[in-house]
mmCIF file of all heavy atoms in Angstrom:
data_model
loop_
_atom_site.group_PDB
_atom_site.id
_atom_site.type_symbol
_atom_site.label_atom_id
_atom_site.label_comp_id
_atom_site.label_asym_id
_atom_site.label_seq_id
_atom_site.Cartn_x
_atom_site.Cartn_y
_atom_site.Cartn_z
ATOM 1 N N PHE L 1264 9.458 15.335 -14.710
ATOM 2 C CA PHE L 1264 8.319 16.245 -14.636
ATOM 3 C C PHE L 1264 8.480 17.270 -13.511
ATOM 4 O O PHE L 1264 7.622 18.144 -13.361
ATOM 5 C CB PHE L 1264 7.027 15.463 -14.425
ATOM 6 C CG PHE L 1264 6.400 14.910 -15.682
ATOM 7 C CD1 PHE L 1264 6.976 13.847 -16.366
ATOM 8 C CD2 PHE L 1264 5.209 15.435 -16.173
ATOM 9 C CE1 PHE L 1264 6.388 13.321 -17.516
ATOM 10 C CE2 PHE L 1264 4.605 14.918 -17.315
ATOM 11 C CZ PHE L 1264 5.202 13.867 -17.997
ATOM 12 N N GLU L 1265 9.539 17.131 -12.712
ATOM 13 C CA GLU L 1265 9.811 18.032 -11.582
ATOM 14 C C GLU L 1265 8.595 18.194 -10.675
ATOM 15 O O GLU L 1265 8.200 19.320 -10.322
ATOM 16 C CB GLU L 1265 10.297 19.400 -12.075
ATOM 17 C CG GLU L 1265 11.649 19.365 -12.753
ATOM 18 C CD GLU L 1265 12.251 20.754 -12.926
ATOM 19 O OE1 GLU L 1265 12.376 21.480 -11.923
ATOM 20 O OE2 GLU L 1265 12.594 21.087 -14.078
ATOM 21 N N ILE L 1266 8.008 17.090 -10.248
ATOM 22 C CA ILE L 1266 6.731 17.182 -9.539
ATOM 23 C C ILE L 1266 6.831 17.878 -8.184
ATOM 24 O O ILE L 1266 5.805 18.320 -7.650
ATOM 25 C CB ILE L 1266 6.074 15.793 -9.374
ATOM 26 C CG1 ILE L 1266 6.821 14.931 -8.355
ATOM 27 C CG2 ILE L 1266 5.940 15.078 -10.697
ATOM 28 C CD1 ILE L 1266 6.044 13.690 -7.953
ATOM 29 N N SER L 1267 8.027 18.025 -7.630
ATOM 30 C CA SER L 1267 8.159 18.685 -6.325
ATOM 31 C C SER L 1267 8.520 20.166 -6.426
ATOM 32 O O SER L 1267 8.605 20.850 -5.402
ATOM 33 C CB SER L 1267 9.219 17.967 -5.483
ATOM 34 O OG SER L 1267 10.487 18.062 -6.094
ATOM 35 N N ASN L 1268 8.709 20.671 -7.638
ATOM 36 C CA ASN L 1268 9.226 22.036 -7.815
ATOM 37 C C ASN L 1268 8.100 23.063 -7.881
ATOM 38 O O ASN L 1268 7.644 23.449 -8.965
ATOM 39 C CB ASN L 1268 10.104 22.122 -9.064
ATOM 40 C CG ASN L 1268 10.840 23.445 -9.172
ATOM 41 O OD1 ASN L 1268 10.621 24.363 -8.394
ATOM 42 N ND2 ASN L 1268 11.724 23.535 -10.152
ATOM 43 N N PHE L 1269 7.672 23.526 -6.697
ATOM 44 C CA PHE L 1269 6.711 24.619 -6.614
ATOM 45 C C PHE L 1269 7.401 25.982 -6.599
ATOM 46 O O PHE L 1269 6.741 27.007 -6.718
ATOM 47 C CB PHE L 1269 5.866 24.494 -5.336
ATOM 48 C CG PHE L 1269 4.804 23.436 -5.385
ATOM 49 C CD1 PHE L 1269 4.994 22.219 -4.740
ATOM 50 C CD2 PHE L 1269 3.605 23.647 -6.045
ATOM 51 C CE1 PHE L 1269 4.008 21.244 -4.756
ATOM 52 C CE2 PHE L 1269 2.615 22.679 -6.076
ATOM 53 C CZ PHE L 1269 2.816 21.468 -5.427
ATOM 54 N N GLU L 1270 8.724 25.987 -6.416
ATOM 55 C CA GLU L 1270 9.427 27.246 -6.194
ATOM 56 C C GLU L 1270 9.660 28.029 -7.492
ATOM 57 O O GLU L 1270 9.369 29.227 -7.575
ATOM 58 C CB GLU L 1270 10.775 26.993 -5.504
ATOM 59 C CG GLU L 1270 10.650 26.558 -4.056
ATOM 60 C CD GLU L 1270 10.134 25.132 -3.899
ATOM 61 O OE1 GLU L 1270 10.458 24.281 -4.772
ATOM 62 O OE2 GLU L 1270 9.401 24.855 -2.921
ATOM 63 N N ASP L 1271 10.216 27.389 -8.498
ATOM 64 C CA ASP L 1271 10.519 28.078 -9.748
ATOM 65 C C ASP L 1271 9.242 28.319 -10.538
ATOM 66 O O ASP L 1271 8.353 27.462 -10.597
ATOM 67 C CB ASP L 1271 11.506 27.267 -10.588
ATOM 68 C CG ASP L 1271 12.848 27.114 -9.892
ATOM 69 O OD1 ASP L 1271 13.258 28.071 -9.212
ATOM 70 O OD2 ASP L 1271 13.465 26.036 -10.017
ATOM 71 N N ARG L 1272 9.158 29.487 -11.158
ATOM 72 C CA ARG L 1272 7.964 29.862 -11.904
ATOM 73 C C ARG L 1272 8.289 30.056 -13.386
ATOM 74 O O ARG L 1272 9.367 30.553 -13.739
ATOM 75 C CB ARG L 1272 7.388 31.178 -11.348
ATOM 76 C CG ARG L 1272 6.992 31.107 -9.870
ATOM 77 C CD ARG L 1272 5.590 30.621 -9.711
ATOM 78 N NE ARG L 1272 5.230 30.363 -8.331
ATOM 79 C CZ ARG L 1272 4.002 30.525 -7.838
ATOM 80 N NH1 ARG L 1272 3.023 30.963 -8.631
ATOM 81 N NH2 ARG L 1272 3.726 30.241 -6.593
ATOM 82 N N VAL L 1273 7.360 29.667 -14.222
ATOM 83 C CA VAL L 1273 7.472 29.865 -15.663
ATOM 84 C C VAL L 1273 6.118 30.330 -16.185
ATOM 85 O O VAL L 1273 5.096 30.209 -15.507
ATOM 86 C CB VAL L 1273 7.902 28.570 -16.392
ATOM 87 C CG1 VAL L 1273 9.286 28.120 -15.959
ATOM 88 C CG2 VAL L 1273 6.884 27.457 -16.157
ATOM 89 N N ARG L 1274 6.118 30.839 -17.395
ATOM 90 C CA ARG L 1274 4.868 31.300 -17.991
ATOM 91 C C ARG L 1274 4.160 30.144 -18.690
ATOM 92 O O ARG L 1274 4.746 29.442 -19.511
ATOM 93 C CB ARG L 1274 5.133 32.427 -18.982
ATOM 94 C CG ARG L 1274 3.864 32.973 -19.611
ATOM 95 C CD ARG L 1274 4.107 34.241 -20.399
ATOM 96 N NE ARG L 1274 2.869 34.744 -20.968
ATOM 97 C CZ ARG L 1274 1.944 35.418 -20.294
ATOM 98 N NH1 ARG L 1274 2.157 35.675 -19.018
ATOM 99 N NH2 ARG L 1274 0.830 35.828 -20.880
ATOM 100 N N LEU L 1275 2.902 29.935 -18.342
ATOM 101 C CA LEU L 1275 2.065 28.923 -18.985
ATOM 102 C C LEU L 1275 1.027 29.657 -19.818
ATOM 103 O O LEU L 1275 0.193 30.394 -19.267
ATOM 104 C CB LEU L 1275 1.379 28.048 -17.926
ATOM 105 C CG LEU L 1275 0.457 26.942 -18.447
ATOM 106 C CD1 LEU L 1275 1.248 25.886 -19.231
ATOM 107 C CD2 LEU L 1275 -0.281 26.260 -17.275
ATOM 108 N N PRO L 1276 1.071 29.521 -21.142
ATOM 109 C CA PRO L 1276 0.136 30.260 -22.003
ATOM 110 C C PRO L 1276 -1.309 30.090 -21.553
ATOM 111 O O PRO L 1276 -1.785 28.977 -21.338
ATOM 112 C CB PRO L 1276 0.366 29.632 -23.383
ATOM 113 C CG PRO L 1276 1.795 29.181 -23.334
ATOM 114 C CD PRO L 1276 2.001 28.687 -21.925
ATOM 115 N N GLY L 1277 -1.964 31.217 -21.381
ATOM 116 C CA GLY L 1277 -3.362 31.211 -20.973
ATOM 117 C C GLY L 1277 -3.573 31.293 -19.480
ATOM 118 O O GLY L 1277 -4.690 31.563 -19.020
ATOM 119 N N PHE L 1278 -2.496 31.058 -18.689
ATOM 120 C CA PHE L 1278 -2.653 31.015 -17.238
ATOM 121 C C PHE L 1278 -1.629 31.858 -16.490
ATOM 122 O O PHE L 1278 -1.618 31.869 -15.258
ATOM 123 C CB PHE L 1278 -2.578 29.563 -16.751
ATOM 124 C CG PHE L 1278 -3.638 28.678 -17.341
ATOM 125 C CD1 PHE L 1278 -3.335 27.819 -18.384
ATOM 126 C CD2 PHE L 1278 -4.942 28.727 -16.883
ATOM 127 C CE1 PHE L 1278 -4.309 27.005 -18.950
ATOM 128 C CE2 PHE L 1278 -5.927 27.929 -17.447
ATOM 129 C CZ PHE L 1278 -5.613 27.065 -18.488
ATOM 130 N N GLY L 1279 -0.755 32.546 -17.200
ATOM 131 C CA GLY L 1279 0.232 33.380 -16.542
ATOM 132 C C GLY L 1279 1.377 32.567 -15.964
ATOM 133 O O GLY L 1279 1.684 31.467 -16.426
ATOM 134 N N ARG L 1280 2.013 33.114 -14.906
ATOM 135 C CA ARG L 1280 3.159 32.454 -14.290
ATOM 136 C C ARG L 1280 2.683 31.445 -13.248
ATOM 137 O O ARG L 1280 1.878 31.767 -12.368
ATOM 138 C CB ARG L 1280 4.096 33.480 -13.654
ATOM 139 C CG ARG L 1280 4.764 34.378 -14.703
ATOM 140 C CD ARG L 1280 5.774 35.329 -14.082
ATOM 141 N NE ARG L 1280 6.911 34.603 -13.523
ATOM 142 C CZ ARG L 1280 7.938 34.141 -14.245
ATOM 143 N NH1 ARG L 1280 7.951 34.292 -15.565
ATOM 144 N NH2 ARG L 1280 8.940 33.522 -13.661
ATOM 145 N N VAL L 1281 3.181 30.220 -13.377
ATOM 146 C CA VAL L 1281 2.802 29.126 -12.481
ATOM 147 C C VAL L 1281 4.063 28.369 -12.090
ATOM 148 O O VAL L 1281 5.110 28.504 -12.737
ATOM 149 C CB VAL L 1281 1.801 28.167 -13.159
ATOM 150 C CG1 VAL L 1281 0.526 28.893 -13.577
ATOM 151 C CG2 VAL L 1281 2.441 27.470 -14.356
ATOM 152 N N PRO L 1282 4.013 27.547 -11.038
ATOM 153 C CA PRO L 1282 5.169 26.720 -10.698
ATOM 154 C C PRO L 1282 5.556 25.793 -11.848
ATOM 155 O O PRO L 1282 4.714 25.375 -12.656
ATOM 156 C CB PRO L 1282 4.682 25.924 -9.485
ATOM 157 C CG PRO L 1282 3.613 26.768 -8.880
ATOM 158 C CD PRO L 1282 2.933 27.421 -10.037
ATOM 159 N N VAL L 1283 6.850 25.455 -11.904
ATOM 160 C CA VAL L 1283 7.361 24.590 -12.969
ATOM 161 C C VAL L 1283 6.614 23.264 -13.005
ATOM 162 O O VAL L 1283 6.265 22.757 -14.085
ATOM 163 C CB VAL L 1283 8.868 24.353 -12.791
ATOM 164 C CG1 VAL L 1283 9.346 23.193 -13.667
ATOM 165 C CG2 VAL L 1283 9.653 25.609 -13.142
ATOM 166 N N ASN L 1284 6.368 22.677 -11.837
ATOM 167 C CA ASN L 1284 5.704 21.365 -11.837
ATOM 168 C C ASN L 1284 4.294 21.450 -12.407
ATOM 169 O O ASN L 1284 3.836 20.537 -13.099
ATOM 170 C CB ASN L 1284 5.706 20.739 -10.436
ATOM 171 C CG ASN L 1284 5.095 21.632 -9.368
ATOM 172 O OD1 ASN L 1284 4.682 22.766 -9.618
ATOM 173 N ND2 ASN L 1284 5.043 21.125 -8.142
ATOM 174 N N VAL L 1285 3.605 22.552 -12.143
ATOM 175 C CA VAL L 1285 2.265 22.742 -12.703
ATOM 176 C C VAL L 1285 2.343 22.909 -14.219
ATOM 177 O O VAL L 1285 1.562 22.303 -14.966
ATOM 178 C CB VAL L 1285 1.591 23.974 -12.063
ATOM 179 C CG1 VAL L 1285 0.259 24.278 -12.747
ATOM 180 C CG2 VAL L 1285 1.392 23.743 -10.568
ATOM 181 N N ALA L 1286 3.305 23.701 -14.672
ATOM 182 C CA ALA L 1286 3.451 23.923 -16.113
ATOM 183 C C ALA L 1286 3.738 22.618 -16.841
ATOM 184 O O ALA L 1286 3.202 22.371 -17.928
ATOM 185 C CB ALA L 1286 4.575 24.927 -16.370
#
Side-chain angles (χ1 to χ4, degrees):
F1264 276 71
E1265 293 194 55
I1266 71 168
S1267 63
N1268 189 353
F1269 284 102
E1270 289 72 34
D1271 297 324
R1272 300 272 172 148
V1273 297
R1274 181 170 181 78
L1275 180 65
F1278 300 101
R1280 293 184 66 80
V1281 301
V1283 166
N1284 55 358
V1285 174

